[in-house]
Amino acid sequence: MALFRLCVTAVAGVAVGQLLSINDLSWFGVLGQGVGALSHDDAIPPQAQVIDQRSFNVLYSASPLSDPDGNAQFSPPGTTRESLVGRPFHIYDEEFLDIIGPNPTLTLLNHTESDPIFHEAPVWYPAKDEMFFVQNAGAKAAGTGLAKSAIIQKISLSTVTPAIASQRNASGSVKVEAVNSIPSVMNPNGATNYKGQLLFLGEGQGETTAPAMYLMNPEPPYNTTVILDNFFGRQFNSLNDASINPRNGEIYFTDPTYGYVQDFRPPPGMPKQVWRFNEATGAVAVAADGFNMPNGIAFSPNGAHLYVADTGMAQAFYGSNFSFPSTIYRYNVNEDGTLENRKTFAFVTPGVPDGLHLDTKGNVYVGCGDGMQVYNPSGKLVGKIYTGSVSANFQFAGEGRMVVLAETELYFVTLAAEGAFPGRLY
Ligand SMILES: *[C@@H]1O[C@H](CO)[C@@H](O)[C@H](O)[C@H]1NC(C)=O
Ligand SMILES: *[C@@H]1O[C@H](CO)[C@@H](O)[C@H](O)[C@H]1NC(C)=O
Ligand SMILES: *[C@@H]1O[C@H](CO)[C@@H](O)[C@H](O)[C@H]1NC(C)=O
Ligand SMILES: *[C@@H]1O[C@H](CO)[C@@H](O)[C@H](O)[C@H]1NC(C)=O
């Protein structure tokens, strides 16, 4: 049934004026009426649209290699930025219909002029139904800069009523509160649920404040305890993100050099690696190497796979290098916790694949340069939740809800999928 619905409405993604062959018409069905035909079919949710990838297989106008721009937004022929934002759930494959359900919504909850206060480390605290997140540590547009970057914030999801979620722009209707962690998490960048508390990864500051892993009490007074800050006496580069292996409870984490390329940490003194930490025994060990910038990291719900994003294309103050990875890799996770069979899972554009999270069915969601892109477990792009701007990270809040951090914008999403939370098991 879903396939039929998709077929009869797919024509909306076709360029105006593009000639359709007989085969095209049978694929689209005779109902195709060009752009705008969607409004006649209630099977496609009101905030969704089909993007037909065949409409841009041949462009004659792709940007030359002498002027590459892996950060540029791409509008398929027949669409505009406005039409893409207008119906932000982009169906690339019918599988996406089950993920978004009949009435997905995207709502702007707050925004700033230029200060990137909605950046990373979104983590849900189910007991109080709150979403915590952090500001951008190194960005030049960050108001008071690094002094402000230690600020963790939160919103109460119970205050996001259905009436609010039904609006596209509900800016200002939900309170954004600062959380003063004590002692402060220094330049937090990643977070995950761990043993009923929140685990933050701090990037460190200057020569002497080492990157560290902090456990934070999710209740006032938000006291923290550092649980790791070195490997046999050597500082990490700038800890970025973590995920809990649901089979052995160990913390797997990434250590790129974003502190250095944003001028708040010294030059790298370690390879850029994925590590694992067994808090019970204290053992720290490398889990994988061979990255340019290991970044987002997430286990599949059953722990059989580990996904790691490499955002090497983004070198922060050193610009973008479009011949570097913008890539998600997938490993098989062995029973003993070792990783093998690194597979190239997805190459992403525009921007880089940053925060990674999975739903309970194993679909992979990733924060990219144009919003969240959603890949099925075979690495097929099935859809996008399109914001039209850099959306570094996001997080599920259980079933059917998601919070998206798009630097100067904070969004709330409703959809059918449910987030997988390996970290809650430990
Ligand atoms: C959302 O509404 C606010 C006013 O409440 C306005 O300032 C802002 O420009 C709107 N944003 C968008 C993207 O429409
Ligand atoms: C954003 O949230 C803050 C804190 O709740 C509030 O003071 C501000 O008015 C909000 N701004 C917008 C544009 O939503
Ligand atoms: C917070 O403080 C309480 C009371 O001293 C303590 O039991 C708890 O372990 C602390 N939590 C963290 C994460 O430091
Ligand atoms: C990108 O990386 C390649 C390979 O290291 C290097 O040759 C090139 O100079 C880099 N370009 C930029 C703009 O950094």
Side-chain angles (χ1 to χ4, degrees):
M1 188 56 202
L3 180 61
F4 173 71
R5 295 196 310 246
L6 191 53
C7 289
V8 296
T9 55
V11 73
V14 172
V16 178
Q18 180 177 333
L19 290 177
L20 299 176
S21 70
I22 300 292
N23 283 344
D24 287 328
L25 287 174
S26 64
W27 161 251
F28 290 134
V30 289
L31 298 180
Q33 294 160 29
V35 175
L38 282 185
S39 56
H40 300 293
D41 189 337
D42 58 8
I44 296 292
Q47 287 198 29
Q49 61 179 303
V50 174
I51 304 292
D52 180 0
Q53 296 172 83
R54 295 174 304 173
S55 73
F56 54 90
N57 286 150
V58 179
L59 287 176
Y60 299 112
S61 61
S63 55
L65 287 182
S66 56
D67 181 25
D69 191 353
N71 293 311
Q73 299 295 330
F74 175 69
S75 300
T79 69
T80 61
R81 197 189 137 81
E82 270 162 15
S83 75
L84 293 174
V85 169
R87 289 169 176 239
F89 294 85
H90 297 175
I91 301 162
Y92 281 77
D93 187 283
E94 59 172 330
E95 286 176 36
F96 199 49
L97 290 170
D98 290 335
I99 288 172
I100 59 179
N103 189 24
T105 59
L106 174 72
T107 303
L108 182 64
L109 290 183
N110 197 302
H111 69 276
T112 66
E113 284 296 311
S114 59
D115 203 352
I117 66 171
F118 309 115
H119 181 55
E120 287 247 28
V123 56
W124 181 46
Y125 178 46
K128 282 204 167 164
D129 200 15
E130 292 174 333
M131 187 68 78
F132 291 73
F133 50 88
V134 308
Q135 305 186 348
N136 193 328
K140 285 179 172 152
T144 54
L146 287 169
K148 194 175 171 185
S149 70
I151 294 179
I152 298 170
Q153 301 174 106
K154 67 170 187 179
I155 57 172
S156 163
L157 294 181
S158 58
T159 64
V160 188
T161 60
I164 290 174
S166 71
Q167 299 166 47
R168 289 300 307 274
N169 184 354
S171 205
S173 57
V174 169
K175 198 165 143 198
V176 180
E177 278 177 81
V179 169
N180 297 309
S181 56
I182 305 168
S184 262
V185 178
M186 273 313 287
N187 295 326
N189 187 83
T192 193
N193 301 84
Y194 184 65
K195 294 183 171 170
Q197 322 221 19
L198 306 183
L199 179 75
F200 279 95
L201 279 81
E203 294 182 287
Q205 170 71 59
E207 283 277 352
T208 49
T209 304
M213 216 178 257
Y214 302 74
L215 260 192
M216 188 181 90
N217 179 357
E219 306 270 353
Y222 305 114
N223 52 311
T224 64
T225 300
V226 174
I227 60 170
L228 182 70
D229 73 354
N230 75 93
F231 178 68
F232 291 96
R234 296 170 64 178
Q235 288 187 1
F236 293 104
N237 294 309
S238 39
L239 297 184
N240 194 287
D241 209 348
S243 183
I244 312 301
N245 182 337
R247 287 171 170 168
N248 63 16
E250 289 186 22
I251 304 163
Y252 288 61
F253 59 99
T254 55
D255 183 39
T257 54
Y258 279 111
Y260 169 63
V261 296
Q262 289 180 110
D263 287 354
F264 65 86
R265 284 282 293 153
M270 282 274 212
K272 297 174 271 190
Q273 302 185 128
V274 176
W275 298 83
R276 55 190 284 200
F277 175 39
N278 182 324
E279 200 205 351
T281 65
V284 182
V286 68
D289 68 359
F291 294 94
N292 189 293
M293 286 286 191
N295 198 321
I297 180 168
F299 282 92
S300 63
N302 62 6
H305 294 112
L306 176 69
Y307 295 86
V308 180
D310 189 333
T311 52
M313 187 187 101
Q315 298 288 328
F317 296 173
Y318 295 81
S320 295
N321 191 324
F322 300 116
S323 65
F324 284 174
S326 185
T327 306
I328 302 168
Y329 298 101
R330 183 174 91 181
Y331 295 87
N332 293 351
V333 184
N334 297 322
E335 283 300 329
D336 65 2
T338 55
L339 307 177
E340 67 181 28
N341 282 341
R342 171 162 134 159
K343 169 187 173 175
T344 305
F345 178 77
F347 176 75
V348 157
T349 200
V352 289
D354 198 331
L356 276 177
H357 302 286
L358 280 79
D359 67 20
T360 49
K361 301 205 167 116
N363 295 302
V364 180
Y365 300 63
V366 57
C368 298
D370 59 354
M372 259 60 49
Q373 300 188 3
V374 184
Y375 293 82
N376 79 0
S378 304
K380 176 166 66 176
L381 175 69
V382 296
K384 294 185 181 182
I385 304 171
Y386 185 87
T387 60
S389 63
V390 172
S391 305
N393 217 330
F394 65 96
Q395 185 55 278
F396 284 98
E399 196 178 341
R401 302 182 306 173
M402 187 188 265
V403 169
V404 177
L405 305 172
E407 301 301 313
T408 56
E409 288 158 354
L410 175 68
Y411 290 97
F412 181 75
V413 172
T414 66
L415 74 177
E418 176 175 4
F421 281 100
R424 287 177 64 195
L425 301 173
Y426 290 89

